Amino acid sequence: MRTCLFFHAHPDDEALLTAGLMARLAAEGHRVVLVAATAGEAGPSALAVSGARPLGLVRMDELRESARRIGCHRVVCLGYRDSGLDGRAEGGFVSVPVAQAAERLARLLKEEDADLLTVYDENGGYGHPDHVQVHRVGVAAAELAGTPVVLEATADRDRLLRWTRPLRWVLPLDDWRRAYTPGARITHRVDVRRYARVKRAAMAAHASQASGGLRTLAVLRRLPLPLFRLAFGVECYVRRN
């Protein structure tokens, strides 16, 4: 049995990029630990109920439910403040010294005796400042802890641009040309088609983020399962070491 630690910035990030591999590893008998840097309290919310619980508490409940559906063995929130969509929220994760946050994550890696750590690529995927910080902190923590394998969760930029070309009039594709990772640099393409239902269920757990407007989760949840499996049946990673 291996111990695999998945490091994410906010609740719902795990569902989009790594839920398939997490579910596969759990089903194969490995220990899966999900770590969120923040509770996502500064993000957008579909909740419009007067007097509703604080968003951070809601999103952590959703994260735990997503983790349950995936089959995770442990969920940890490091408790840093969400930096917001533009990364400018006061005291946000992006402003925390990398060495300080890396030391905390390294302690957790050592406690779990982790064999694998996943972070994001150096672009932070689509460039969110907290995601870039996850990359920096995770890489530094793995070095401190001596974690043998570090994988950068990403997407195939070339494939993504081909798929979205028909939407070039409504999507900011110029930004996407600098996002994620060129196909030639991807080292691992993991077949997770058997876990498509689990991955979609993990997305559905994040109800506060998955309804209303053109939110990413709202759109993806409506895809018919065959199309969802085609779009998300392979997860992409770049091995650092």
Side-chain angles (χ1 to χ4, degrees), residues 29-157:
H30 301 290
R31 178 171 172 81
V32 176
V33 179
L34 173 57
V35 179
T38 81
E41 69 278 5
S45 172
L47 300 175
V49 180
S50 177
R53 296 169 64 218
L55 181 59
L57 296 180
V58 172
R59 296 195 69 182
M60 282 306 302
D61 282 348
E62 292 172 347
L63 182 67
R64 284 186 281 268
E65 176 58 22
S66 171
R68 186 192 68 79
R69 296 178 184 187
I70 291 168
C72 296
H73 299 85
R74 182 183 180 187
V75 179
V76 178
C77 181
L78 297 182
Y80 293 110
R81 292 179 60 82
D82 183 359
S83 300
L85 290 175
D86 59 3
R88 297 179 180 176
E90 185 177 355
F93 178 51
V94 70
S95 67
V96 176
V98 168
Q100 175 184 315
E103 187 175 345
R104 286 189 62 193
L105 182 61
R107 287 199 297 269
L108 184 57
L109 288 166
K110 291 177 181 177
E111 176 187 332
E112 287 286 347
D113 193 19
D115 301 285
L116 165 72
L117 171 68
T118 74
V119 295
Y120 304 130
D121 59 43
E122 61 189 10
N123 298 314
Y126 62 90
H128 190 293
D130 278 345
H131 290 215
V132 175
Q133 182 79 331
V134 161
H135 171 84
R136 294 169 179 163
V137 169
V139 169
E143 185 172 348
L144 287 172
T147 304
V149 178
V150 177
L151 296 180
E152 298 175 356
T154 189
D156 184 331
R157 179 195 298 167

Side-chain angles (χ1 to χ4, degrees), residues 167-231:
L167 303 175
R168 63 186 180 277
W169 303 113
V170 294
L171 291 175
L173 296 187
D174 286 343
D175 293 341
W176 288 27
R177 291 189 179 94
R178 297 183 295 273
Y180 297 106
T181 303
R185 287 191 54 214
I186 291 171
T187 60
H188 292 65
R189 297 175 187 269
V190 184
D191 186 347
V192 296
R193 286 173 295 178
R194 289 183 58 190
Y195 305 96
R197 291 183 185 275
V198 176
K199 186 160 184 168
R200 193 160 67 167
M203 292 182 183
H206 296 281
S208 69
Q209 306 298 298
S211 63
L214 288 175
R215 296 169 187 257
T216 302
L217 289 181
V219 174
L220 299 180
R221 283 180 57 191
R222 297 189 183 104
L223 291 176
L225 185 61
L227 185 56
F228 185 92
R229 188 178 286 116
L230 178 64

